[in-house]
Amino acid sequence: MLETKFIPNEGKSLTIETKFGMHARYPVKTHVIMKEDVPEDVLDKYVISELKEGDTVFISEKIIAIMQGRAFHIDDIKPSKLARFLCKFVYKPDYGIGIGSPVTMELCVREVGRVKILFAAFIAGICKLFGKRGVFYNICGMDARAIDGPCDYTIPPYNNYAKMAPLKPNEVAAKLSKHIGHDVYIVDANDIACTVLGKSNPDLLDEFGELIFADNPLDQSDQQTPIAIIRPVETDS
């Protein structure tokens, strides 16, 4: 039975059926998370009282990065000449900026390092000649892939911010899991796909997180639902 107090975001479904069975994805509405917030306090305030045995908690990587101080106002980011040059060659997806702007590319340069990013750009340029995409991100790694910038649909004040990936997401997930007594995933989700950045237990399957969040039930506009409670749903066999 579904919990009627949870309301799906517009155009999304509370349930999804995958190879792992039927699961409900209950979006948890919070205040606008700021740098001063503490992850454990956020879970205490909005999540713990709603949890039941067997639940898993999914947390947007964006709010973890924000609380770690890894979101920056775009006016405070001064792009280098290298960042301004490299961003011109980045594929720009429909669901976000990625590192396709000078400010987000500058964060990538800082995070990955000039040597590695130049090597990645060189190899990616060669691969593009043969129609192969995604090489730059594959070389730079998840820290580069999770960098994103402001979009028109981003909730204020973060419509003027760019952010890095969260630091040590596996350690963060493990710490939060111990605090609430449930498994925790930290995910980077959009309307195209979901990527698991951190999980509280190495035995947890990335595929479970990717399939459960394949349609991004948290959405990515002004919903203020950066957390979801995942709960198995019993079905008549």
Side-chain angles (χ1 to χ4, degrees), residues 7-64:
I7 301 173
N9 285 317
E10 185 176 358
K12 307 294 181 177
S13 173
L14 277 182
T15 60
I16 190 170
E17 186 168 7
T18 71
K19 62 187 289 185
F20 300 101
M22 180 75 75
H23 286 80
R25 297 89 48 87
Y26 297 132
V28 178
K29 192 175 183 67
T30 71
H31 64 278
V32 177
I33 302 299
M34 306 297 287
K35 179 180 178 181
E36 296 75 19
D37 286 305
V38 177
E40 288 86 349
D41 293 345
V42 172
L43 293 179
D44 286 347
K45 184 175 181 179
Y46 297 106
V47 176
I48 284 184
S49 64
E50 307 294 343
L51 292 174
K52 296 183 178 181
E53 184 177 356
D55 287 353
T56 303
V57 175
F58 279 44
I59 306 174
S60 167
E61 54 85 27
K62 179 175 288 186
I63 66 167
I64 298 298

Side-chain angles (χ1 to χ4, degrees), residues 154-187:
T154 305
I155 189 169
Y158 298 107
N159 55 337
N160 289 307
Y161 276 68
K163 61 96 186 155
M164 292 177 168
L167 284 173
K168 301 180 179 179
N170 285 322
E171 292 183 18
V172 173
K175 182 180 178 182
L176 295 179
S177 174
K178 184 177 181 180
H179 181 73
I180 64 175
H182 291 260
D183 289 331
V184 171
Y185 280 83
I186 296 176
V187 297

Side-chain angles (χ1 to χ4, degrees), residues 3-201:
E3 303 291 335
T4 56
K5 67 174 293 183
F6 292 100
I7 301 173
N9 285 317
E10 185 176 358
K12 307 294 181 177
S13 173
L14 277 182
T15 60
I16 190 170
E17 186 168 7
T18 71
K19 62 187 289 185
F20 300 101
M22 180 75 75
H23 286 80
R25 297 89 48 87
Y26 297 132
V28 178
K29 192 175 183 67
T30 71
H31 64 278
V32 177
I33 302 299
M34 306 297 287
K35 179 180 178 181
E36 296 75 19
D37 286 305
V38 177
E40 288 86 349
D41 293 345
V42 172
L43 293 179
D44 286 347
K45 184 175 181 179
Y46 297 106
V47 176
I48 284 184
S49 64
E50 307 294 343
L51 292 174
K52 296 183 178 181
E53 184 177 356
D55 287 353
T56 303
V57 175
F58 279 44
I59 306 174
S60 167
E61 54 85 27
K62 179 175 288 186
I63 66 167
I64 298 298
I66 288 170
M67 289 185 281
Q68 289 179 336
R70 291 172 64 79
F72 309 91
H73 195 285
I74 56 176
D75 290 344
D76 296 329
I77 304 171
K78 307 302 179 185
S80 62
K81 291 181 179 179
L82 178 61
R84 293 184 183 278
F85 174 74
L86 290 178
C87 73
K88 299 176 183 178
F89 303 98
V90 174
Y91 170 72
K92 298 176 176 60
D94 296 332
Y95 53 83
I97 293 176
I99 55 175
S101 77
V103 293
T104 53
M105 180 60 79
E106 176 61 26
L107 293 184
C108 187
V109 172
R110 297 178 188 179
E111 186 79 341
V112 177
R114 295 174 66 90
V115 173
K116 187 173 183 178
I117 206 169
L118 284 170
F119 173 74
F122 175 73
I123 299 299
I126 294 175
C127 290
K128 275 187 178 180
L129 297 177
F130 298 94
K132 188 173 182 179
R133 284 181 171 177
V135 174
F136 181 89
Y137 286 108
N138 289 339
I139 295 174
C140 289
M142 197 60 66
D143 287 344
R145 195 181 298 273
I147 292 171
D148 206 0
C151 299
D152 291 340
Y153 54 75
T154 305
I155 189 169
Y158 298 107
N159 55 337
N160 289 307
Y161 276 68
K163 61 96 186 155
M164 292 177 168
L167 284 173
K168 301 180 179 179
N170 285 322
E171 292 183 18
V172 173
K175 182 180 178 182
L176 295 179
S177 174
K178 184 177 181 180
H179 181 73
I180 64 175
H182 291 260
D183 289 331
V184 171
Y185 280 83
I186 296 176
V187 297
D188 180 9
N190 54 57
D191 290 341
I192 304 299
C194 171
T195 301
V196 174
L197 298 188
K199 51 190 179 181
S200 54
N201 185 328

